[in-house]
Amino acid sequence: MESRRGNPMTTEEEYSDLAATRRIHRLNSHISPIVTTQPATSVVQTENCAAAVAVRTTKKLEVNGQALSLYMKGKHMDIQEKVYEFFNSRPDLQTPIEISKDDHRDLCMRQLYGLVREAGIRPFRYVADDPAKYFAIMEAVGSVDMSLGIKMGVQYSLWGGSVINLGTKKHRDKYFDGIDNLDYTGCFAMTELHHGSNVQGLQTTATFDPIKDEFVIDTPHDGAIKWWIGNAAVHGKFATVFARLILPTHDTKGVSDMGVHAFIVPIRDMKTHQTLPGVEIQDCGHKVGLNGVDNGALRFSSVRIPRDNLLNRFGDVARDGKYTSSLPTINKRFGATLGELVGGRVGLAYASVGVLKISATIAIRYSLLRQQFGPPKQPEVSILDYQSQQHKLMPMLASTYAYHFATVYLVEKYSEMKKTHDEQLVADVHALSAGLKSYVTSYTAKSLSVCREACGGHGYAAVNRFGSLRNDHDIFQTFEGDNTVLLQQVAGDLLKQYKEKFQGGTLTVTWNYLRESMNTYLAQPNPVTARWEGEEHLRDPKFQLDAFRYRTSRLLQSVALRLNKHTKTLGTFGAWNRCLNHLLTLAESHIESVILAKFIEAVQNCSEPSAKAALKLVCDLYALDRIWGDIGTYRNVDYVAPNKAKAIHKLTEYLSFQVRNVAKELVDAFELPDHVTRAPIAMQSDAYAQYTQVVGF
């Protein structure tokens, strides 16, 4: 028989072979597109069954890894290396894959003792005086064991930080050395069973007794039990307890509620470690992650503490019960108190980037090593040569760099704030830390799952760390401020700045761009620039930053109009709730604008040519990937014409391919050695050999 084309019919077996050959050919065209000899600026379409791919003949970028790493690490490389070297030299202090909750807690405490008393690293000395160094230590410690990083943060940033930031000289003199050397292990008792984000709604009370010159700490009902308190279940001897300050009065009420204040409350005997009278401590039990941290619940029944145990920087009670404060209202005192505790958010944002570096390094090193499929009768190819794998991991790598520079900037501003106590800077850091903590931790949480999936079945092995990293990091989205709540704070500040702009007021540092971009937004998009699609234009940082800021300004203008409209019928609270998703999108857009601005600045400040070129490449990918991700917004208002949108998409794919070519150098610049990543599939030599040894071969 012959086919309709007049050719002899193939047998079923021959047909199957031909079909298989065609499938292999198509697969090969995805990963090895035909490269022409046209100039680098041209775009060649290669046809395959999925899509047309933009191809350029560009030489592989040569990256000076040492220069890039030095630029990334900055001035605190030495202290981080000291942390890595100590734990690498102490196998007995390295966390095993399988460990019980109680053993993990014990190990975590021994790790902290080892860091402080054996390695001689004293993080508390840098909390107030050199925050950048403290956060560098925290990043290194968290890479050893995230539970250790959090336990260190509870001891020094929360418990210790509350004493030195909310107290006065008498508190520093009495407690500093004991906190520093771990004699005074402590807790930060803010969260209650019924109140987490709404700190002003806390119900624990501290009633002043003028006869005995003491405060009486009480848990009035079960909803006021302090909950999820780190260091409380096993190791803590003290707690900074946030409670409503109740003072006796001579009016008909009999008492006056002065709002939430902080008090030092001993919870265990210094010698016997037994729970003190009136204090009840329960264990919060096994958690999804961070089981090296002993979270507990605290209930107080008429626990008496000296009047001096009030942390009295922003409000004090005299011997006669008279209250004094330099701040006139409860709200101002509360704001000042929380403002001094913003370091926790700064630390979490910075630490989250550290987690992202580890997970991206593991996934990318594995993707470079792992080979699957390939052209007929040729070697299999690296899975990072697949466009789909590049799409998962290369924008993530670019984002990791972007968040690194943004959080370094945040730490710098926080350090400056601690030195100057400038009110405008305090407000700016408060909003910036809220936004970056929320945005970065949410992104890292999602990326951990992407990295696990990108490593296939091997990513599911506990020894390769994605499970523990994901579980330990997950709570970063909740503590130190729920991410959704924090984004609302950012949106609220943006609306406040929006109002200031139209009233002729000054804008704080982070919002300066709004003055110009709001004016741009109120004008129509330029129909000429909306159609520019050349690579030079799309990779121009001015175009990229203008696009980010235009989107933010558009969102701000539109949500302000919506709030004004709905407030008339729903009231303030109802209008805010009606526009809530819009407000969250606005906050995220603003934070992305800040991140890109700091990334562009970091590129411009890099003096070594090859490192600068590498940073420019990943910065362009970060910017264009974000623009493409929200291309509908730009198309809806004709900010980007259809041909330009298509060019952005093609260029984004091309940049991902270019980043793939230097992916090894880019992750190596994080300087995370094998004993830090601790994932056999990410080892830089003999990865498979080490992996097989883990399972017993």
Side-chain angles (χ1 to χ4, degrees), residues 230-305:
N231 270 1
V234 179
H235 298 124
K237 294 182 174 72
F238 296 87
T240 295
V241 176
F242 288 80
R244 312 193 76 79
L245 172 56
I246 308 298
L247 295 178
T249 61
H250 300 292
D251 57 19
T252 54
K253 282 187 176 182
V255 294
S256 177
D257 184 344
M258 305 305 295
V260 175
H261 288 62
F263 303 82
I264 296 175
V265 181
I267 60 174
R268 287 188 174 93
D269 186 273
M270 287 295 295
K271 294 181 179 178
T272 67
H273 204 64
Q274 294 299 306
T275 304
L276 292 173
V279 179
E280 181 184 352
I281 304 177
Q282 298 295 337
D283 196 325
C284 287
H286 199 276
K287 307 184 294 291
V288 170
L290 295 178
N291 282 299
V293 182
D294 52 313
N295 294 86
L298 301 172
R299 191 206 303 262
F300 303 101
S301 300
S302 300
V303 176
R304 290 182 170 269
I305 59 173

Side-chain angles (χ1 to χ4, degrees), residues 349-414:
Y350 193 82
S352 185
V353 177
V355 176
L356 186 57
K357 288 176 184 176
I358 292 172
S359 59
T361 297
I362 295 171
I364 289 168
R365 283 183 179 165
Y366 173 77
S367 297
L368 287 165
L369 166 77
R370 180 73 165 179
Q371 295 179 337
Q372 293 288 290
F373 305 108
K377 298 180 181 179
Q378 292 186 37
E380 292 184 302
V381 301
S382 162
I383 62 173
L384 198 55
D385 285 333
Y386 287 89
Q387 191 181 63
S388 56
Q389 194 81 343
Q390 292 170 17
H391 180 71
K392 289 176 183 177
L393 298 178
M394 296 304 94
M396 183 192 299
L397 179 56
S399 296
T400 306
Y401 271 81
Y403 304 158
H404 167 85
F405 291 115
T407 53
V408 166
Y409 169 74
L410 174 61
V411 169
E412 289 171 354
K413 301 308 289 183
Y414 175 74

Side-chain angles (χ1 to χ4, degrees), residues 111 250 443 679 697:
Q111 288 172 332
H250 300 292
Y443 183 90
F697 287 103

Side-chain angles (χ1 to χ4, degrees), residues 316-372:
D316 202 3
V317 176
R319 176 66 185 86
D320 61 2
K322 182 179 179 181
Y323 184 83
T324 57
S325 174
S326 58
L327 300 170
T329 66
I330 287 177
N331 284 341
K332 285 191 177 294
R333 290 193 292 271
F334 177 75
T337 297
L338 291 192
E340 284 300 321
L341 303 175
V342 75
R345 291 175 186 168
V346 176
L348 282 182
Y350 193 82
S352 185
V353 177
V355 176
L356 186 57
K357 288 176 184 176
I358 292 172
S359 59
T361 297
I362 295 171
I364 289 168
R365 283 183 179 165
Y366 173 77
S367 297
L368 287 165
L369 166 77
R370 180 73 165 179
Q371 295 179 337
Q372 293 288 290

Side-chain angles (χ1 to χ4, degrees), residues 531-542:
R531 285 164 173 75
W532 287 355
E533 56 181 289
E535 181 175 330
E536 184 178 353
H537 167 66
L538 296 180
R539 297 186 69 172
D540 183 349
K542 185 179 187 309

Side-chain angles (χ1 to χ4, degrees), residues 22 46 66 71 90 110 131 134 145 183 259-260 269 277 296 322 383 396 403 433 446 493 556 601 610 615 659 673:
R22 282 196 296 270
T46 61
Q66 187 176 6
Y71 187 65
R90 292 290 303 275
R110 287 191 289 113
Y134 173 77
D145 186 331
D183 284 343
V260 175
D269 186 273
K322 182 179 179 181
I383 62 173
M396 183 192 299
Y403 304 158
S433 63
K446 295 181 181 74
D493 282 327
L556 178 55
E601 192 176 294
S610 75
L615 291 174
V659 171

